[in-house]
Amino acid sequence: MKRKRVVLLGATGSIGDSTLKVAHDIPERMEIVGLAANSNVEKLAIAANKTRAPAVCLVDERKIDLLRSKLEYEPKIFAGESGLCEIAKLDGADMVLIAIVGTAGLHPALDAIETGKDLAVASKEILVMAGEAVTQAAQNRGVKILPVDSEHNAIFQCLDGRTSEVRRIILTASGGPFRETPREKLEYVTVEEALKHPTWNMGPKITIDSATLFNKGLEMIEAHWLFGVGMDRVEVVIHPQSIVHSMVEFADGSTLAQLSYSNMCFPIQYAVTWPDRVANTLPPLDFSTLNKLEFAIPRYEDFPALNLARRAGEAGGTLPAVMNAANEVAVAAFLNRRIRFPQIWQTVTDVMDRHRTVAHPDLGAILAADQWARAEAARFVKL
Ligand code: NDP
């Protein structure tokens, strides 16, 4: 069995931590050959010293000397945004795992594809913003896009390559911390309450997205591109226990589901070892303690993110990038206590309503729409 040589972008984040755990757990199948982060020198240096990755990248160029001083060996060092693209093209790497929050992963993703490396994608922004361009580029170059997001990884496992027989893709959502909060109380929820996810421990942006359900909205669009299934066949069901990670209903009416504890090491490992299943130290489900699995229809009226995402995904073009960018600005404003929770949806709705969608955009048009939406959203939240 081949040992996969992986470049990890976003090494200091929550997915980065889980990826390093997986690499430690299955060293015979996975080797970290590159590590990149934005500015967290301490954490990046610890990861590098531990894995002895031959290449390291720090986007914040002002801290490069500090990084050098903390390294106990002499890897190749890349710096800045251009360095991020360079490390994504690293000679000898088989796969680039992208776990960068925000849009900075898009260029490196295209560079990795161009140099023939498979992509393992955690960053939703890549497929939401540029699903058409990225999937087309991967197809042209004959490289694979392997989903790391637990829901898409679950669907990928259930599909096992049979996309033509799919009737519906059913994404599960925990419902977040406000699953049962009455609509009128959403106005008053605090940042601390929104950051308390009931079942997953993740970075702050995605945790707020889980509370608004924008996370699930982004995932609907991601699923549409990853599996080539129309938006009208991508559905969401609330499943508070986060044990069933998603489901696929096939043409014959049978539904397959993937189950495991909510630990990102499961999907990360499968993305790396696919199509093999490899023994590890992760705990399997203990059914004696799992006494119920519940499912419910989302509260579409109270949590407008799902309908906004369906609209963006159906319109396509630049609208998903606009939704994503406006949401990023609104989430940052909420985290900085400048707007209230429901204003996240209001900001995104306002910016989407005023956007003139460009169909089949190239990268330039996507990035221009992204910038436009950020400026409009900043105006709306009065940043
Ligand atoms: P975190 O906020 O925990 O970590 C973000 C990582 O991205 C850090 O390593 C950070 O570096 C790096 N980063 C941020 N900005 C840049 C930049 N401009 N250039 C290079 N690196 C950058 O995020 P998560 O790990 O939670 O999420 C990462 C992505 O994965 C997101 O897109 C999220 O939606 C997705 N995802 C996350 C899941 C989870 O369980 N956490 C589950 C499924 C998907 P630094 O520390 O130096 O700032």
Side-chain angles (χ1 to χ4, degrees):
M1 292 296 164
K2 195 170 175 280
R3 194 171 185 218
K4 206 153 275 172
R5 286 160 300 186
V6 179
V7 173
L8 169 59
L9 310 185
T12 49
S14 155
I15 294 281
D17 288 344
S18 301
T19 305
L20 292 168
K21 269 191 214 143
V22 172
H24 182 73
D25 205 12
I26 53 163
E28 69 293 350
R29 293 300 303 263
M30 181 177 181
E31 178 186 357
I32 299 287
V33 294
L35 290 168
N38 188 31
S39 66
N40 191 340
V41 177
E42 282 73 21
K43 213 169 162 185
L44 182 62
I46 290 170
N49 289 332
K50 212 165 179 177
T51 58
R52 299 274 152 165
V56 176
C57 172
L58 188 69
V59 172
D60 187 344
E61 303 185 51
R62 295 164 303 175
K63 295 188 180 169
I64 283 292
D65 288 338
L66 184 61
L67 173 66
R68 256 199 201 96
S69 71
K70 289 182 184 290
L71 291 172
E72 295 159 3
Y73 68 115
E74 289 186 10
K76 189 165 184 180
I77 296 184
F78 296 95
E81 282 173 25
S82 60
L84 199 59
C85 291
E86 287 305 313
I87 201 170
K89 296 191 271 191
L90 193 72
D91 274 346
D94 305 307
M95 170 181 270
V96 178
L97 193 153
I98 309 196
I100 290 177
V101 70
T103 55
L106 184 53
H107 273 125
L110 290 165
D111 285 325
I113 292 173
E114 199 185 295
T115 47
K117 301 180 201 323
D118 287 340
L119 279 191
V121 179
S123 308
K124 294 161 208 278
E125 297 82 357
I126 293 173
L127 288 167
V128 169
M129 289 177 76
E132 192 173 355
V134 171
T135 49
Q136 193 64 58
Q139 211 175 348
N140 293 346
R141 192 65 178 75
V143 304
K144 299 198 174 50
I145 302 181
L146 295 143
V148 165
D149 216 345
S150 60
E151 292 78 359
H152 304 86
N153 194 274
I155 294 161
F156 182 68
Q157 295 190 43
C158 296
L159 283 173
D160 203 16
R162 284 190 307 260
T163 44
S164 60
E165 298 155 13
V166 175
R167 196 189 278 163
R168 284 192 300 162
I169 278 179
I170 303 156
L171 293 164
T172 52
S174 71
F178 310 129
R179 180 170 56 90
E180 293 180 326
T181 306
R183 184 181 190 153
E184 62 281 4
K185 295 218 165 117
L186 290 174
E187 181 81 18
Y188 305 104
V189 301
T190 64
V191 170
E192 289 70 24
E193 286 164 342
L195 283 173
K196 259 191 221 129
H197 195 279
T199 50
W200 289 97
N201 182 12
M202 310 179 285
K205 158 72 169 52
I206 184 173
T207 305
I208 301 300
D209 283 348
S210 298
T212 58
L213 293 196
F214 262 118
N215 182 47
K216 214 48 56 182
L218 297 172
E219 288 176 6
M220 288 165 72
I221 301 173
E222 217 186 339
H224 159 64
W225 286 114
L226 271 171
F227 307 115
V229 170
M231 286 298 291
D232 58 334
R233 292 193 290 147
V234 180
E235 291 180 19
V236 174
V237 67
I238 301 293
H239 167 50
Q241 291 80 16
S242 297
I243 293 290
V244 174
H245 295 298
S246 277
M247 300 177 265
V248 177
E249 182 186 300
F250 289 95
D252 60 0
S254 275
T255 298
L256 296 191
Q258 185 264 335
L259 285 72
S260 64
Y261 286 123
S262 32
N263 179 338
M264 286 306 293
C265 291
F266 285 104
I268 292 168
Q269 170 170 325
Y270 192 69
V272 172
T273 64
W274 175 83
D276 302 330
R277 292 193 182 269
V278 176
N280 56 23
T281 60
L282 295 172
L285 288 177
D286 175 358
F287 285 95
S288 67
T289 59
L290 269 184
N291 54 9
K292 61 177 176 183
L293 296 178
E294 296 163 298
F295 300 95
I297 299 303
R299 289 161 56 195
Y300 289 100
E301 294 303 314
D302 300 341
F303 292 81
L306 296 178
N307 287 337
L308 287 169
R310 190 172 294 287
R311 180 179 143 204
E314 276 168 358
T318 45
L319 198 57
V322 163
M323 182 188 85
N324 174 64
N327 179 50
E328 262 187 51
V329 173
V331 169
F334 174 70
L335 284 170
N336 291 328
R337 296 163 211 276
R338 298 184 73 99
I339 61 172
R340 289 178 189 268
F341 189 74
Q343 281 179 284
I344 300 177
W345 298 309
Q346 288 156 13
T347 307
V348 178
T349 307
D350 174 79
V351 177
M352 279 174 69
D353 284 349
R354 285 183 298 103
H355 181 63
R356 284 209 203 117
T357 302
V358 178
H360 308 295
D362 59 14
L363 205 54
I366 292 167
L367 294 173
D370 172 272
Q371 289 304 312
W372 174 85
R374 279 172 203 279
E376 292 298 309
R379 235 161 31 103
F380 192 82
V381 301
K382 299 191 178 60
L383 284 182

